[in-house]
């Protein structure tokens, strides 16, 4: 199976993750999460449906983001469509997730920010 390079695309309230979130990409993922949540002080939906590879080190980064945000009274929510690799990983790890982006994230009319590729 060919893995696609890791990329994140940010738009207000949403961080879309795609490609392979391997051990090299987790640093970029952690940095993107911190930046988009302003050090875990703003809520964020992380759309993982397009991730090809989501190992335990990536799951750890997501758990840390969820916990850090919670300590600040905000949420980092995970989104993964049914049948995707990310949905299977989140299910096995017993992490809470939804299968659709929250309405607030979808209704934003602000254009997406730049992509980060690792």
């Amino acid at each position: 199976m060919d893995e696609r390079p890791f990329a994140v695309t940010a738009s207000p309230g949403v961080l879309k993750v795609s490609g392979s979130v391997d051990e090299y990409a987790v640093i970029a993922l952690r940095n993107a999460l911190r930046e988009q949540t302003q050090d875990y002080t703003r809520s964020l939906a992380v759309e993982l449906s397009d991730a090809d590879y989501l190992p335990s080190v990536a799951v750890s980064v997501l758990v840390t983001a969820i916990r850090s945000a919670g300590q600040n009274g905000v949420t980092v929510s995970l989104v993964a469509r049914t049948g995707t690799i990310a949905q299977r990983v989140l299910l096995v790890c017993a992490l809470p997730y939804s299968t659709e982006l929250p309405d607030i994230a979808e209704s934003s009319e602000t254009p997406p920010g730049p992509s980060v590729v690792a």
Side-chain angles (χ1 to χ4, degrees):
M1 174 174 94
D2 291 331
E3 292 179 1
R4 294 175 298 138
F6 168 79
V8 291
T9 304
S11 58
V14 178
L15 185 70
K16 183 176 180 177
V17 177
S18 61
S20 179
V21 189
D22 60 19
E23 58 274 1
Y24 303 107
V26 294
I27 296 167
L29 175 60
R30 182 179 15 198
N31 291 343
L33 286 164
R34 289 187 75 169
E35 181 180 320
Q36 294 304 309
T37 60
Q38 294 185 351
D39 284 325
Y40 309 112
T41 61
R42 297 178 98 184
S43 293
L44 182 70
V46 183
E47 193 0 308
L48 298 162
S49 298
D50 205 26
D52 297 332
Y53 180 62
L54 198 64
S56 60
V57 67
V59 171
S60 177
V61 167
L62 295 170
V63 168
T64 298
I66 291 168
R67 288 183 181 162
S68 297
Q71 291 173 348
N72 291 316
V74 297
T75 60
V76 169
S77 57
L78 307 178
V79 179
R81 289 188 314 271
T82 303
T84 61
I85 290 170
Q87 184 262 336
R88 293 178 196 149
V89 169
L90 298 176
L91 184 65
V92 167
C93 293
L95 288 176
Y97 69 93
S98 60
T99 57
E100 296 179 6
L101 283 172
D103 287 338
I104 190 165
E106 291 177 340
S107 65
S108 174
E109 294 184 20
T110 305
S115 295
V116 174
V117 178

